[in-house]
């Protein structure tokens, strides 16, 4: 059989650019070259698109290339002076994190192009990227979310609606549309709240304030479409202090400064089952497809509360999603196979 022509898009303009490059390196190392012919398309931090040999050093020096939005010529348009070479693609893996990668932007371009792609569609990507919208939809589905307040920092009336003195401190202040804990601060009083909001504003004009949930941080890796979903092993983030922010650390490959990951999570079997079923329910409520990591809080009374949903979770050597899948018997190579199959077939491939 002919190899599938797979476009792997990585990098991007968000603060999660370095994480995306690391994720793409793991994908490149795990990709079965007997099945796939990869075409690596890196996006620099300034937004330039480059066709390169892979996400290794010097990839930014690749040839200019773009995804064709023309369904009559789906694939890559590679620019060489006044010439344009076309490379057809069977599917795309958008290994992008954060703004313009997980918010529906690249997904919209791929919809225009007609090229099948892995992961969530435009609507679910946009919903999950905005934590306030995620909470509204999930709460409407009858699943617990933290108490939260939203501030559009361009609208002073919104700020005035929040009585800072009566908030249930400590609270977490977050950019509503960012990831990997960028711009997140824990505020313990009114004075800290303003500093925290200033930090969040550096990443997004829309700011989320949410209660600090006293609970264990639990993750669940989900793979599939529609009714046929596979939930990987559940993990627990064990913190020594502060909050989880491994992607902002200097050398996360050698371990986190304040977190370690217990896979399988050291929780009762009934709690594990509840986490997995709740994660699937959240995934369906938000219209997710392909893959996502659903993070939850497991409270002492055995109930769960949504934390957040990542529609293109990190695939780095230290990322949680591949660890959870590996613990359930699916190495990254097989996860990639299933991602591609789901993109091409539009139906679930779950065991």
């Amino acid at each position: 059989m002919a190899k599938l022509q797979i476009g792997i898009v990585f990098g991007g303009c968000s603060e999660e650019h370095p994480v995306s490059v690391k994720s793409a390196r793991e994908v490149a190392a795990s990709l079965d070259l007997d099945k796939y012919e990869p075409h690596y398309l890196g996006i620099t931090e300034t937004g330039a698109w480059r066709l390169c040999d892979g996400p290794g050093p010097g990839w930014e020096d690749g040839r200019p290339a773009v995804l064709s939005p023309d369904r009559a010529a789906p694939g890559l348009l590679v620019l060489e002076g006044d010439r344009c070479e076309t490379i057809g693609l069977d599917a795309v893996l958008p290994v992008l994190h954060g703004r313009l990668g997980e918010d529906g932007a690249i997904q919209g371009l791929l919809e225009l192009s007609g090229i099948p792609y892995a992961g969530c569609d435009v609507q679910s990507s946009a919903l999950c990227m905005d934590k306030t919208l995620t909470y509204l939809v999930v709460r409407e589905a009858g699943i617990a979310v933290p108490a939260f307040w939203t501030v559009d920092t361009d609208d002073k009336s919104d700020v005035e609606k929040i009585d800072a003195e009566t908030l249930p401190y400590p609270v977490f202040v977050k950019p509503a549309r960012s990831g990997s804990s960028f711009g997140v601060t824990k505020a313990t009083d009114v004075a800290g709240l303003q500093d925290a909001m200033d930090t969040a504003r550096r990443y997004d004009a829309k700011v989320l304030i949410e209660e600090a949930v006293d609970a264990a941080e639990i993750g669940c890796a989900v793979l599939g479409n529609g009714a046929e979903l596979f939930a990987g092993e559940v993990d627990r983030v064990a913190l020594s202090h502060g909050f989880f922010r491994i992607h902002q650390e200097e050398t996360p490959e050698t371990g986190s400064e304040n977190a370690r990951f217990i896979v399988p999570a050291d929780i009762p079997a009934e709690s594990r089952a509840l986490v997995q079923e709740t994660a699937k329910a959240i995934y369906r409520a938000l219209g997710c497809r392909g893959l996502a990591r659903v993070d939850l809080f497991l409270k002492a009374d055995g109930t769960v509360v949504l934390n957040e949903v990542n529609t293109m979770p990190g695939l780095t050597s230290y990322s949680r999603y591949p660890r959870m899948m590996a613990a359930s018997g699916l190495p990254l190579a097989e996860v990639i196979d299933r991602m591609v199959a789901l993109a091409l077939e539009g139906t679930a491939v779950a065991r």
Side-chain angles (χ1 to χ4, degrees), residues 11-346:
C13 302
S14 83
E15 58 273 11
E16 296 189 66
H17 174 100
V19 183
S20 172
V21 175
K22 292 179 182 180
S23 289
R25 288 174 183 163
E26 292 302 310
V27 169
S30 301
L31 201 66
D32 187 341
L33 298 181
D34 290 331
K35 298 177 182 177
Y36 309 114
E37 182 73 33
H39 302 276
Y40 293 96
L41 189 61
I43 304 174
T44 70
E45 292 179 278
T46 58
W49 293 47
R50 296 288 182 262
L51 181 65
C52 53
D53 294 331
W59 67 262
E60 298 94 338
D61 298 326
R63 293 183 291 168
V66 294
L67 281 168
S68 169
D70 186 347
R71 290 192 172 205
L76 293 174
L77 302 178
V78 186
L79 311 178
E80 289 279 6
D82 58 356
R83 298 175 56 202
C84 180
E85 175 191 350
T86 302
I87 298 176
L89 296 177
D90 294 305
V92 167
L93 301 182
V95 188
L96 294 164
H97 310 309
R99 184 171 55 88
L100 302 180
E102 286 183 86
D103 59 3
I106 188 72
Q107 290 78 14
L109 176 57
L110 288 163
E111 291 283 352
L112 285 172
S113 73
I115 305 171
Y117 60 95
C120 290
D121 63 11
V122 176
Q123 176 179 288
S124 55
S125 296
L127 270 178
C128 294
M129 188 67 187
D130 189 323
K131 297 177 181 67
T132 61
L133 298 181
T134 300
Y135 285 170
L136 290 171
V137 171
V138 171
R139 186 173 65 184
E140 186 66 21
I143 299 168
V145 303
F148 69 97
W149 300 261
T150 306
V151 177
D152 181 343
T153 55
D154 291 331
D155 187 344
K156 291 184 179 179
S157 64
D158 275 359
V159 179
E160 292 167 358
K161 289 176 187 175
I162 295 177
D163 187 346
E165 297 285 349
T166 62
L167 288 176
Y169 296 99
V171 295
F172 282 99
V173 183
K174 307 176 178 181
R177 297 161 293 201
S178 185
S180 296
S181 299
F182 285 96
V184 177
T185 307
K186 186 176 183 178
T188 58
D189 53 30
V190 176
L193 179 67
Q194 186 57 59
D195 289 340
M197 290 184 65
D198 290 342
T199 298
R201 286 189 186 104
R202 297 206 298 265
Y203 297 91
D204 194 2
K206 187 177 184 181
V207 174
L208 173 70
I209 302 170
E210 66 178 54
E211 67 170 333
V213 180
D214 184 13
E217 292 189 43
I218 307 292
C220 184
V222 182
L223 182 66
N225 293 346
E228 298 296 325
L229 300 180
F230 175 71
E233 192 50 81
V234 172
D235 80 349
R236 181 173 75 85
V237 181
L239 292 172
S240 60
H241 62 278
F243 56 91
F244 180 61
R245 53 194 307 162
I246 190 170
H247 290 297
Q248 298 176 58
E249 296 176 2
E250 290 292 331
T251 56
E253 291 83 0
T254 61
S256 173
E257 298 166 2
N258 71 337
R260 60 189 181 90
F261 311 98
I262 301 171
V263 189
D266 49 354
I267 59 177
E270 59 270 23
S271 295
R272 174 183 180 274
L274 176 62
V275 166
Q276 290 178 320
E277 289 309 308
T278 304
K280 290 179 182 179
I282 291 168
Y283 189 96
R284 294 189 183 106
L286 293 165
C288 295
R289 74 176 196 196
L291 78 162
R293 195 188 75 235
V294 181
D295 295 340
L296 297 156
F297 296 114
L298 176 63
K299 300 177 73 174
D301 62 5
T303 60
V304 293
V305 179
L306 174 63
N307 181 0
E308 65 176 4
V309 179
N310 289 272
T311 55
M312 183 53 70
L315 301 175
T316 70
S317 61
Y318 53 88
S319 291
R320 298 168 66 193
Y321 187 94
R323 285 187 187 184
M324 287 188 275
M325 281 299 179
S328 67
L330 293 183
L332 184 55
E334 189 167 344
V335 171
I336 293 169
D337 286 347
R338 295 191 181 202
M339 289 168 61
V340 173
L342 288 164
L344 291 173
E345 298 174 11

